[in-house]
Amino acid sequence: MTDDARSLMDRMYRPQRHIYDLTRKHYLLGRDQLIDRLNPPGGGAVLEIGCGTGRNLIRAARLYPKARFYGVDISAVMLDEAKASISRNKVATSIVLAQGDAANFDPGALFGQPRFERIFISYALSMIPAWRETIAHALDLLEPNGSLHIVDFGDQADLPSWFRQLLAKWLELFHVRPRAELESEFAGQARARGLAHKHEALYRGYAFLDVAAFAGDGGSGRGA
């Protein structure tokens, strides 16, 4: 974890952390679809990389009360907000949070949990400079029956050019840079490890929702 990256995220989120969830719900599309399809096994460990305010973990903990949840984020400011929100929503016993760099954190040291049945990353890779390394790290933390779920900005190929340009300028204000090759990179890394990869474009390419899973496990329904 670099001090520069941590400081940048803390400076950016400190003035907006209290309104983050309210403002982002209008354009971080596909998050709920991802959570609704996680389907962790009972007692399974679920990790969110780049957990932010804890919004996704709270929803997941309510949906899958038999699973165990973990969240890691580089920003201490966002983790403070997540802890407060988790406490308000009375799911504190289900979720453990820790500060760490998405590309190289040690979950055994942070959580006492070295591997996970489900890992998900929601609109974080477009903010992480080492996003390729983050995908690789997440894949290497999966249990043999595990799956990695990613939702992020797509290519918007079927949307008007003016919309794409306006969105790019808006996202740049928040240091968000959609990765044009993210989907292909994820697919390549997954298949190199013998995992099946499934790609789904959402809202005319506005976003994509992809899953990499070991044979026989797709995390594609509701359970636990």
Short mmCIF file of all heavy atoms in Angstrom, two decimals, residues 137-163:
data_model
loop_
_atom_site.label_atom_id
_atom_site.label_comp_id
_atom_site.label_asym_id
_atom_site.label_seq_id
_atom_site.Cartn_x
_atom_site.Cartn_y
_atom_site.Cartn_z
N HIS A 137 -4.55 -11.25 -8.10
CA HIS A 137 -4.53 -11.53 -6.66
C HIS A 137 -5.86 -12.12 -6.21
O HIS A 137 -5.89 -13.10 -5.46
CB HIS A 137 -4.24 -10.23 -5.91
CG HIS A 137 -3.99 -10.40 -4.46
ND1 HIS A 137 -3.19 -11.39 -3.94
CD2 HIS A 137 -4.44 -9.68 -3.39
CE1 HIS A 137 -3.15 -11.29 -2.62
NE2 HIS A 137 -3.91 -10.27 -2.25
N ALA A 138 -6.96 -11.55 -6.68
CA ALA A 138 -8.28 -12.05 -6.30
C ALA A 138 -8.48 -13.50 -6.76
O ALA A 138 -8.97 -14.35 -6.01
CB ALA A 138 -9.37 -11.16 -6.89
N LEU A 139 -8.10 -13.79 -7.99
CA LEU A 139 -8.24 -15.16 -8.50
C LEU A 139 -7.43 -16.14 -7.67
O LEU A 139 -7.85 -17.28 -7.43
CB LEU A 139 -7.82 -15.21 -9.97
CG LEU A 139 -8.77 -14.55 -10.96
CD1 LEU A 139 -8.11 -14.43 -12.33
CD2 LEU A 139 -10.08 -15.34 -11.08
N ASP A 140 -6.26 -15.72 -7.23
CA ASP A 140 -5.39 -16.61 -6.46
C ASP A 140 -5.89 -16.81 -5.04
O ASP A 140 -5.39 -17.71 -4.33
CB ASP A 140 -3.97 -16.06 -6.44
CG ASP A 140 -3.29 -16.14 -7.80
OD1 ASP A 140 -3.76 -16.93 -8.65
OD2 ASP A 140 -2.31 -15.41 -8.02
N LEU A 141 -6.85 -16.02 -4.59
CA LEU A 141 -7.41 -16.16 -3.24
C LEU A 141 -8.67 -17.00 -3.19
O LEU A 141 -9.27 -17.18 -2.13
CB LEU A 141 -7.70 -14.78 -2.65
CG LEU A 141 -6.50 -13.86 -2.40
CD1 LEU A 141 -6.96 -12.53 -1.82
CD2 LEU A 141 -5.48 -14.52 -1.48
N LEU A 142 -9.09 -17.54 -4.34
CA LEU A 142 -10.32 -18.33 -4.38
C LEU A 142 -10.09 -19.74 -3.83
O LEU A 142 -9.07 -20.37 -4.09
CB LEU A 142 -10.83 -18.45 -5.81
CG LEU A 142 -11.44 -17.19 -6.45
CD1 LEU A 142 -11.77 -17.48 -7.90
CD2 LEU A 142 -12.67 -16.74 -5.68
N GLU A 143 -11.10 -20.23 -3.11
CA GLU A 143 -11.15 -21.63 -2.75
C GLU A 143 -11.40 -22.46 -4.02
O GLU A 143 -11.87 -21.92 -5.02
CB GLU A 143 -12.27 -21.88 -1.74
CG GLU A 143 -12.01 -21.33 -0.35
CD GLU A 143 -11.10 -22.23 0.48
OE1 GLU A 143 -10.46 -23.14 -0.10
OE2 GLU A 143 -11.02 -22.01 1.70
N PRO A 144 -11.13 -23.77 -3.98
CA PRO A 144 -11.35 -24.60 -5.18
C PRO A 144 -12.79 -24.60 -5.69
O PRO A 144 -13.02 -24.89 -6.86
CB PRO A 144 -10.93 -25.99 -4.70
CG PRO A 144 -9.92 -25.73 -3.63
CD PRO A 144 -10.42 -24.50 -2.91
N ASN A 145 -13.75 -24.29 -4.83
CA ASN A 145 -15.15 -24.20 -5.28
C ASN A 145 -15.60 -22.74 -5.42
O ASN A 145 -16.79 -22.45 -5.42
CB ASN A 145 -16.07 -24.91 -4.28
CG ASN A 145 -16.07 -24.24 -2.90
OD1 ASN A 145 -15.09 -23.59 -2.52
ND2 ASN A 145 -17.13 -24.41 -2.14
N GLY A 146 -14.63 -21.84 -5.59
CA GLY A 146 -14.95 -20.42 -5.53
C GLY A 146 -15.22 -19.76 -6.86
O GLY A 146 -15.06 -20.35 -7.93
N SER A 147 -15.63 -18.49 -6.78
CA SER A 147 -15.89 -17.70 -7.98
C SER A 147 -15.59 -16.24 -7.70
O SER A 147 -15.76 -15.75 -6.58
CB SER A 147 -17.32 -17.87 -8.47
OG SER A 147 -18.27 -17.54 -7.46
N LEU A 148 -15.12 -15.55 -8.74
CA LEU A 148 -14.83 -14.12 -8.68
C LEU A 148 -15.83 -13.38 -9.55
O LEU A 148 -16.00 -13.72 -10.72
CB LEU A 148 -13.40 -13.84 -9.16
CG LEU A 148 -13.01 -12.36 -9.35
CD1 LEU A 148 -13.14 -11.57 -8.05
CD2 LEU A 148 -11.58 -12.27 -9.89
N HIS A 149 -16.47 -12.36 -8.99
CA HIS A 149 -17.51 -11.60 -9.67
C HIS A 149 -17.06 -10.15 -9.80
O HIS A 149 -16.66 -9.53 -8.81
CB HIS A 149 -18.82 -11.65 -8.88
CG HIS A 149 -19.29 -13.05 -8.59
ND1 HIS A 149 -20.49 -13.54 -9.07
CD2 HIS A 149 -18.72 -14.06 -7.88
CE1 HIS A 149 -20.64 -14.78 -8.67
NE2 HIS A 149 -19.58 -15.12 -7.94
N ILE A 150 -17.14 -9.60 -11.00
CA ILE A 150 -16.71 -8.22 -11.25
C ILE A 150 -17.80 -7.47 -12.00
O ILE A 150 -18.32 -7.94 -13.01
CB ILE A 150 -15.41 -8.18 -12.08
CG1 ILE A 150 -14.25 -8.80 -11.29
CG2 ILE A 150 -15.08 -6.74 -12.48
CD1 ILE A 150 -12.95 -8.89 -12.09
N VAL A 151 -18.14 -6.28 -11.49
CA VAL A 151 -19.01 -5.36 -12.22
C VAL A 151 -18.27 -4.04 -12.33
O VAL A 151 -17.64 -3.58 -11.37
CB VAL A 151 -20.38 -5.18 -11.53
CG1 VAL A 151 -20.26 -4.55 -10.16
CG2 VAL A 151 -21.32 -4.37 -12.40
N ASP A 152 -18.28 -3.45 -13.53
CA ASP A 152 -17.58 -2.18 -13.73
C ASP A 152 -18.09 -1.56 -15.03
O ASP A 152 -18.94 -2.14 -15.71
CB ASP A 152 -16.07 -2.39 -13.78
CG ASP A 152 -15.30 -1.24 -13.16
OD1 ASP A 152 -15.55 -0.08 -13.56
OD2 ASP A 152 -14.46 -1.49 -12.27
N PHE A 153 -17.54 -0.41 -15.35
CA PHE A 153 -17.97 0.29 -16.55
C PHE A 153 -17.59 -0.50 -17.80
O PHE A 153 -16.46 -1.01 -17.91
CB PHE A 153 -17.35 1.69 -16.61
CG PHE A 153 -17.84 2.61 -15.55
CD1 PHE A 153 -17.06 2.89 -14.43
CD2 PHE A 153 -19.10 3.19 -15.65
CE1 PHE A 153 -17.52 3.73 -13.44
CE2 PHE A 153 -19.57 4.03 -14.65
CZ PHE A 153 -18.78 4.31 -13.55
N GLY A 154 -18.53 -0.58 -18.76
CA GLY A 154 -18.29 -1.24 -20.02
C GLY A 154 -17.81 -0.25 -21.07
O GLY A 154 -17.41 0.88 -20.77
N ASP A 155 -17.91 -0.66 -22.34
CA ASP A 155 -17.45 0.20 -23.42
C ASP A 155 -18.51 1.17 -23.93
O ASP A 155 -18.23 2.04 -24.75
CB ASP A 155 -16.92 -0.63 -24.59
CG ASP A 155 -17.97 -1.59 -25.15
OD1 ASP A 155 -19.17 -1.45 -24.84
OD2 ASP A 155 -17.57 -2.50 -25.91
N GLN A 156 -19.75 1.04 -23.45
CA GLN A 156 -20.87 1.89 -23.87
C GLN A 156 -21.03 1.94 -25.40
O GLN A 156 -21.46 2.95 -25.97
CB GLN A 156 -20.72 3.32 -23.34
CG GLN A 156 -20.87 3.43 -21.84
CD GLN A 156 -19.55 3.61 -21.14
OE1 GLN A 156 -18.71 4.37 -21.58
NE2 GLN A 156 -19.37 2.91 -20.04
N ALA A 157 -20.69 0.83 -26.04
CA ALA A 157 -20.67 0.79 -27.51
C ALA A 157 -22.02 1.10 -28.13
O ALA A 157 -22.09 1.67 -29.23
CB ALA A 157 -20.17 -0.57 -27.98
N ASP A 158 -23.10 0.74 -27.47
CA ASP A 158 -24.43 0.96 -28.03
C ASP A 158 -25.10 2.21 -27.51
O ASP A 158 -26.31 2.42 -27.71
CB ASP A 158 -25.32 -0.26 -27.73
CG ASP A 158 -24.83 -1.51 -28.43
OD1 ASP A 158 -24.27 -1.38 -29.54
OD2 ASP A 158 -24.99 -2.61 -27.88
N LEU A 159 -24.33 3.08 -26.87
CA LEU A 159 -24.85 4.34 -26.36
C LEU A 159 -24.32 5.50 -27.21
O LEU A 159 -23.27 5.38 -27.83
CB LEU A 159 -24.44 4.52 -24.90
CG LEU A 159 -25.09 3.52 -23.93
CD1 LEU A 159 -24.43 3.60 -22.56
CD2 LEU A 159 -26.58 3.77 -23.80
N PRO A 160 -25.00 6.63 -27.24
CA PRO A 160 -24.57 7.75 -28.07
C PRO A 160 -23.18 8.26 -27.70
O PRO A 160 -22.79 8.21 -26.52
CB PRO A 160 -25.63 8.83 -27.80
CG PRO A 160 -26.81 8.08 -27.26
CD PRO A 160 -26.27 6.90 -26.53
N SER A 161 -22.44 8.75 -28.67
CA SER A 161 -21.08 9.23 -28.43
C SER A 161 -21.05 10.38 -27.44
O SER A 161 -20.13 10.50 -26.62
CB SER A 161 -20.41 9.63 -29.74
OG SER A 161 -21.14 10.67 -30.38
N TRP A 162 -22.07 11.27 -27.50
CA TRP A 162 -22.10 12.39 -26.58
C TRP A 162 -22.21 11.92 -25.13
O TRP A 162 -21.62 12.52 -24.21
CB TRP A 162 -23.24 13.36 -26.90
CG TRP A 162 -24.62 12.79 -26.74
CD1 TRP A 162 -25.42 12.27 -27.70
CD2 TRP A 162 -25.37 12.68 -25.51
NE1 TRP A 162 -26.62 11.84 -27.18
CE2 TRP A 162 -26.61 12.08 -25.83
CE3 TRP A 162 -25.10 13.03 -24.19
CZ2 TRP A 162 -27.59 11.82 -24.87
CZ3 TRP A 162 -26.08 12.77 -23.21
CH2 TRP A 162 -27.30 12.17 -23.57
N PHE A 163 -22.95 10.83 -24.95
CA PHE A 163 -23.10 10.28 -23.59
C PHE A 163 -21.76 9.72 -23.11
O PHE A 163 -21.37 9.94 -21.96
CB PHE A 163 -24.16 9.19 -23.58
CG PHE A 163 -24.34 8.54 -22.24
CD1 PHE A 163 -25.20 9.08 -21.31
CD2 PHE A 163 -23.63 7.39 -21.90
CE1 PHE A 163 -25.36 8.50 -20.06
CE2 PHE A 163 -23.78 6.80 -20.65
CZ PHE A 163 -24.65 7.37 -19.73
#
